């Protein structure tokens, strides 16, 4: 039961804690240990519930009550308590962190009724009696002892220095060169405001990505932590970063508070924490303030170009900015419905501010993803993406994300190889820390057969985002296309370690197993991918049974039967059908579907020139003519 007992003294280690006076003493000397009121209150709650893990929510509710709930205050106060008690985080004597839950007081505690005993130190005066006598003396009109004034003044000064001295430097700051911006916890009441947490994180990632001295994990990597209750330092360790930025958003009426903390992952020390209070209509200004404060806390020295990028928002229209945040929120969900919603919000942002370059980039990104989720054909979607990317560049000619979107369309839809390479290089020049540019450029270079250059780009993408399954799957696919099957298998297994539910991890892995003659493993991997892509479990069962009865050819025959007959697979890529027909030796059908893929300009047709999947068709003049018409040399 949480709560405070007023007439108790608690002894632990070399300390005595008086619940009535809210003071902490050193037992031997009777010295008062300086702590803020909230720190004492938190310590009391922990001590009175010794041996039990108290969740963060329990502690926040008990100690901070009905005020704004701020997890950063809790972690900072825990840090202060540990420092004051001389606790070692590696071998704690008093307070331990329960990962993903909260905190626990572990020391042995002796309870004493304060009516019977105040403190072991006999020379220490009874605080309550001391205060009563002082009051009585003052009331009699006698000249008060200067000590009575000196002690409170000293204490006030001590509390003032402790309380108001910047908490941004609780420990010596070592070099921090990589951070993750976690989705902010959104405590807003209205359900439609829950977009703010992930959207603010995405906006901050976009700002920090342009800094040469800092590597920032992309939003797609941290998005999965939106509902996580893991400790920030644990998440940071998983993401392999030096620090984590997280916080909470709470809106009350027209006011909004954002509580932010920057936590060093090596020792869970809060480097910087602050609250930002403003009108909700000034949310854009809050974002700017947070980014500037983080840069200042890390003591970065920015050049003029970096400073200009950091201050660049693209709009001063708050309504347009809110629409953009909503668009990015839905875009990061990556479903058919969410992508369509994202397009609507980006269009609203553009309507409210036609000069909002980032909104056009969001629109381009959304259109380019639609074909991958069978929500549109490439012929419908990619031209719209190009128009949006070009419009973004008309407004802001130094927007790396816009060049990346343009390059993607040039490479994988228009087959404009020189133009695509020029755009990729321009994007990297403008922002060398944008992982997606390096990943897509590597895929382009792989399709060109420039494998060594491709792996330079993949290595850079991995360096920026080492825990991204998307990048890991790109490494896996590149090895497969180079016919380095052992390397592809190793990369596929690493991809699964990063995210066992990411479907693309199993695709090239299964194909590599097949090329190695490990057909059972191949079937398991491909069946797993089918399920993760959303097909019924019954499909996976059917193809496995077909493999048992007819070997690998029986497996592929059943697979094409499902693709050709099931209504919900009607949008299955033509290039994918050609791949299966080539597997079972039906050359004519394979070429027929390749031609349809060419007419539709499907995204993954660009691999046809180098992939082992079409080796059986390579000598056919019709295949060679298709490759020539795709502008390959």
């Amino acid at each position: 039961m949480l709560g405070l007992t007023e007439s108790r003294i608690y002894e632990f280690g070399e300390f005595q804690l008086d619940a009535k006076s809210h003071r902490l003493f050193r037992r031997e000397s009777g010295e008062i240990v300086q702590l803020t009121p909230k720190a004492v209150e938190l310590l009391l709650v922990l001590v009175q519930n010794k041996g039990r893990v108290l969740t963060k929510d329990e502690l926040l509710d008990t100690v901070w009550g009905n005020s704004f709930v701020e997890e950063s205050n809790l972690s900072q106060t825990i840090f202060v308590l540990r420092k004051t008690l001389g606790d070692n985080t590696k071998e704690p004597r008093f307070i331990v962190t329960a990962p993903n839950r909260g905190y626990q007081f572990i020391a042995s505690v002796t309870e004493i009724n304060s009516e019977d005993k105040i403190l072991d130190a006999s020379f220490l005066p009874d605080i309550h009696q001391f205060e009563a006598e002082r009051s009585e003396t003052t009331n009699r009109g006698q000249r008060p002892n200067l000590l009575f004034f000196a002690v409170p003044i000293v204490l006030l000064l001590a509390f003032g220095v402790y309380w108001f001295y910047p908490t941004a430097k609780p420990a010596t700051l070592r070099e921090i060169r990589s951070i993750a911006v976690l989705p902010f916890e959104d405590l807003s009441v209205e359900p439609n405001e829950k977009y703010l947490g992930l959207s603010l994180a995405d906006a901050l990632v976009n700002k920090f990505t342009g800094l040469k001295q800092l590597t920032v994990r992309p939003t797609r990597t941290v998005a999965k932590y939106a509902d996580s209750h893991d400790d920030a330092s644990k998440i940071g360790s998983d993401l392999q970063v030096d620090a984590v930025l997280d916080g909470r958003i709470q809106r009350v009426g027209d006011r909004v508070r954002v509580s932010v903390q920057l936590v060093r992952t090596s020792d869970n020390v809060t480097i910087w924490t602050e609250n930002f209070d403003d009108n909700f209509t000034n949310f854009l200004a809050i974002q700017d303030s947070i980014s500037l404060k983080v840069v200042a806390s890390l003591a970065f020295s920015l050049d003029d170009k970096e400073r200009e990028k950091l201050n660049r928002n693209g709009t001063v229209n708050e309504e347009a900015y809110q629409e953009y945040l909503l668009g990015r929120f839905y875009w990061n969900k990556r479903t058919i419905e969410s992508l369509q919603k994202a397009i609507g919000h980006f269009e609203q942002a553009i309507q409210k501010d036609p000069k909002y370059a980032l909104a056009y980039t969001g629109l381009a990104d959304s259109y380019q993803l639609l074909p991958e989720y069978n929500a549109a054909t490439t012929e419908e979607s990619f031209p719209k993406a190009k128009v949006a990317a070009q419009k973004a560049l008309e407004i802001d000619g130094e927007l790396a994300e816009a060049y990346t979107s343009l390059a993607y369309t040039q490479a994988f839809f228009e087959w404009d190889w020189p133009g695509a390479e020029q755009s990729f290089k321009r994007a990297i020049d403008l922002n060398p820390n944008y992982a997606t540019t390096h990943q897509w450029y590597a895929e382009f270079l792989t399709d060109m057969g420039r494998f060594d250059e491709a792996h330079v780009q993949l290595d850079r993408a991995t360096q920026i985002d080492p825990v991204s399954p998307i990048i890991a799957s790109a490494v896996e696919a590149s090895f497969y296309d180079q016919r380095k099957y052992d390397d592809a298998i190793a990369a596929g297994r690493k991809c699964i370690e990063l995210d066992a539910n990411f479907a693309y991890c199993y695709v090239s892995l299964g194909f590599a197993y097949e090329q190695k003659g490990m057909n059972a493993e191949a079937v398991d991997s491909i069946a797993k991918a089918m399920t993760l892509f959303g097909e019924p479990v019954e499909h996976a069962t059917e193809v496995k049974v077909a493999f048992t009865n007819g070997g690998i050819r029986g497996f592929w025959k059943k697979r094409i039967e499902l693709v050709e007959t099931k209504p919900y697979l009607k949008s299955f890529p033509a290039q994918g059908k050609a791949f299966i027909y080539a597997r079972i030796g039906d050359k004519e059908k394979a070429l027929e579907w390749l031609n349809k893929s060419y007419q539709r300009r499907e995204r993954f047709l660009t691999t046809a020139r180098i992939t082992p999947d079409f080796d059986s068709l390579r000598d056919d003049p019709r295949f060679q003519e298709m490759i020539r018409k795709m502008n390959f040399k």
Side-chain angles (χ1 to χ4, degrees):
M1 181 74 177
L2 293 177
L4 301 180
T5 304
E6 289 296 326
S7 60
R8 292 283 175 181
I9 291 174
Y10 301 92
E11 297 183 350
F12 51 89
E14 61 269 35
F15 300 99
Q16 288 183 322
L17 179 62
D18 186 349
K20 189 171 184 179
S21 68
H22 274 219
R23 285 179 170 88
L24 180 67
F25 300 92
R26 296 191 185 277
R27 294 173 64 186
E28 292 186 3
S29 65
E31 173 191 359
I32 297 176
V33 180
Q34 304 300 340
L35 281 174
T36 64
K38 287 299 181 187
V40 174
E41 194 172 344
L42 178 59
L43 181 58
L44 274 169
V45 174
L46 289 167
V47 168
Q48 290 169 351
N49 292 272
K50 60 180 172 59
R52 183 165 80 85
V53 174
L54 301 179
T55 67
K56 294 178 181 180
D57 287 339
E58 285 180 291
L59 292 169
L60 287 166
D61 290 343
T62 304
V63 178
W64 279 269
N66 295 324
S67 61
F68 275 104
V69 182
E70 303 160 4
E71 188 174 321
S72 61
N73 280 5
L74 174 59
S75 61
Q76 178 65 22
T77 308
I78 288 289
F79 165 78
V80 169
L81 285 176
R82 283 173 168 157
K83 185 177 181 181
T84 301
L85 298 174
D87 223 358
N88 186 327
T89 56
K90 293 184 178 179
E91 297 180 2
R93 294 187 299 148
F94 301 109
I95 301 171
V96 297
T97 300
N100 311 333
R101 299 175 64 191
Y103 302 94
Q104 179 183 9
F105 195 86
I106 60 171
S108 176
V109 177
T110 301
E111 285 188 38
I112 304 170
N113 192 319
S114 63
E115 300 298 326
D116 301 327
K117 181 181 181 182
I118 299 299
L119 291 171
D120 278 346
S122 59
F123 57 83
L124 184 71
D126 185 326
I127 295 294
H128 316 307
Q129 180 67 25
F130 177 83
E131 292 176 349
E133 291 175 356
R134 181 181 64 176
S135 175
E136 182 182 352
T137 303
T138 304
N139 288 337
R140 287 201 303 265
Q142 296 179 8
R143 181 181 179 183
N145 191 320
L146 292 177
L147 179 63
F148 292 155
F149 289 113
V151 171
I153 290 171
V154 170
L155 289 176
L156 283 173
L157 286 173
F159 274 111
V161 171
Y162 193 89
W163 186 258
F164 293 105
Y165 193 82
T167 59
K169 300 182 288 185
T172 302
L173 180 63
R174 67 176 176 82
E175 293 252 327
I176 287 180
R177 290 296 176 260
S178 60
I179 69 169
V181 183
L182 301 185
F184 283 53
E185 185 176 0
D186 195 341
L187 302 177
S188 305
V189 177
E190 292 80 0
N192 65 342
E193 290 180 356
K194 297 299 182 182
Y195 70 93
L196 287 176
L198 182 59
S199 301
L200 178 57
D202 184 77
L204 291 171
V205 167
N206 188 55
K207 277 186 169 291
F208 294 141
T209 300
L211 303 180
K212 297 174 184 176
Q213 302 173 66
L214 194 64
T215 299
V216 188
R217 297 293 177 256
T219 306
R220 67 188 182 192
T221 296
V222 302
K224 63 182 179 181
Y225 295 104
D227 298 315
S228 174
H229 297 290
D230 286 351
D231 186 89
S233 64
K234 180 184 182 303
I235 295 174
S237 178
D238 293 342
L239 294 172
Q240 301 177 35
V241 292
D242 299 325
V244 167
L245 183 75
D246 76 342
R248 295 185 174 194
I249 301 173
Q250 190 170 9
R251 182 179 178 185
V252 178
D254 294 330
R255 301 288 294 178
V256 64
R257 165 172 284 192
V258 181
S259 304
V260 191
Q261 65 174 350
L262 186 64
V263 180
R264 191 166 58 200
T265 58
S266 61
D267 52 10
N268 205 29
V269 166
T270 300
I271 299 169
W272 165 78
T273 180
E274 192 159 331
N275 297 324
F276 298 86
D277 297 284
D278 209 329
N279 291 324
F280 184 65
T281 53
N282 292 334
F283 201 70
L284 183 60
I286 292 177
Q287 169 204 295
D288 290 344
S289 297
I290 294 172
S291 60
L292 290 171
K293 289 290 180 70
V294 170
V295 169
S297 72
L298 296 177
F300 286 156
S301 178
L302 306 182
D303 59 32
D304 291 340
K305 191 173 183 180
E306 287 178 304
R307 191 173 294 105
E308 191 273 331
K309 283 184 178 181
L310 190 67
N311 291 324
R312 180 190 301 168
N313 287 314
T315 186
V316 295
N317 186 310
E318 284 286 345
E319 291 184 359
Y321 179 63
Q322 293 297 332
E323 291 292 344
Y324 173 78
L325 290 181
L326 277 164
R328 278 300 178 191
F329 171 75
Y330 286 113
W331 184 83
N332 277 301
K333 285 181 173 291
R334 308 292 182 95
T335 66
I336 294 174
E337 295 77 11
S338 67
L339 288 171
Q340 291 168 339
K341 285 184 178 180
I343 288 172
H345 286 294
F346 288 134
E347 288 176 339
Q348 283 294 312
I350 292 167
Q351 183 177 343
K352 295 178 186 299
D353 183 357
K355 297 296 185 181
Y356 196 177
L358 278 175
Y360 286 102
T361 302
L363 197 60
D365 292 344
S366 300
Y367 279 128
Q368 287 180 158
L369 282 182
L370 285 179
E372 290 190 27
Y373 292 86
N374 298 322
T377 66
T378 52
E379 298 162 291
E380 296 169 332
S381 207
F382 273 86
K384 294 178 182 177
K386 182 177 182 180
V387 169
Q390 288 178 323
K391 183 63 178 178
L393 289 172
E394 286 178 18
I395 299 168
D396 184 351
E398 294 194 347
L399 197 57
E401 292 85 347
Y403 275 107
T404 300
S405 296
L406 177 61
Y408 193 84
T409 295
Q410 290 172 315
F412 304 120
F413 178 73
E414 295 181 335
W415 306 327
D416 175 9
W417 315 124
E421 182 153 28
Q422 183 178 359
S423 296
F424 277 129
K425 288 182 174 180
R426 179 59 176 151
I428 291 171
D429 180 59
L430 289 170
N431 186 355
N433 292 326
Y434 188 33
T436 298
T437 308
H438 295 284
Q439 176 200 334
W440 288 353
Y441 187 29
E443 293 173 6
F444 163 86
L445 291 168
T446 297
D447 292 345
M448 297 297 105
R450 294 157 58 183
F451 301 128
D452 290 342
E453 294 175 73
H455 278 282
V456 169
Q457 296 301 321
L458 287 171
D459 288 345
R460 177 58 182 146
T462 303
Q463 181 185 7
I464 297 170
D465 192 2
V467 294
S468 167
I470 297 173
I471 293 173
S473 69
V475 174
E476 173 189 347
S478 183
F479 278 132
Y480 176 74
D481 286 336
Q482 294 174 62
R483 295 166 170 75
K484 295 182 177 180
Y485 303 124
D486 289 332
D487 291 334
I489 290 170
R493 290 171 177 167
K494 179 180 178 181
C495 184
I496 292 169
E497 288 177 7
L498 294 172
D499 188 348
N501 293 314
F502 186 62
Y504 280 107
C505 291
Y506 297 89
V507 177
S508 294
L509 175 63
F511 299 161
Y513 277 137
E514 184 184 9
Q515 294 288 351
K516 293 274 293 181
M518 302 167 66
N519 292 334
E521 291 85 349
V523 168
D524 285 342
S525 293
I526 298 168
K528 178 72 171 179
M530 290 164 53
T531 303
L532 290 174
F533 276 122
E535 292 188 46
V537 176
E538 292 77 14
H539 282 198
T541 302
E542 288 182 48
V543 294
K544 286 182 178 181
V545 170
F547 170 69
T548 300
N549 295 331
I552 193 66
R553 193 168 189 275
F555 165 85
W556 285 116
K557 289 182 71 174
K558 172 56 69 173
R559 181 65 181 136
I560 195 62
E561 177 189 322
L562 293 172
V563 169
E564 294 279 29
T565 60
K566 300 299 180 182
Y568 40 80
L569 291 175
K570 63 181 180 181
S571 299
F572 197 83
Q575 184 258 1
K577 291 183 180 181
F579 164 89
I580 300 174
Y581 278 118
R583 279 292 200 274
I584 62 176
D586 191 335
K587 186 175 181 179
E588 292 304 313
K589 279 283 190 180
L591 287 167
E592 175 189 338
W593 282 106
L594 269 182
N595 186 54
K596 290 180 180 179
S597 180
Y598 166 81
Q599 292 171 351
R600 298 171 186 175
R601 289 180 172 266
E602 289 183 336
R603 157 67 182 91
F604 293 105
L605 185 62
T606 55
T607 65
R609 187 173 71 101
I610 48 96
T611 182
D613 301 325
F614 296 124
D615 282 351
S616 62
L617 309 178
R618 237 165 263 294
D619 293 336
D620 192 289
R622 291 168 291 181
F623 181 86
Q624 294 171 356
E625 175 63 14
M626 183 194 74
I627 294 299
R628 186 190 64 78
K629 289 191 295 185
M630 291 177 68
N631 301 324
F632 285 113
K633 294 180 181 179

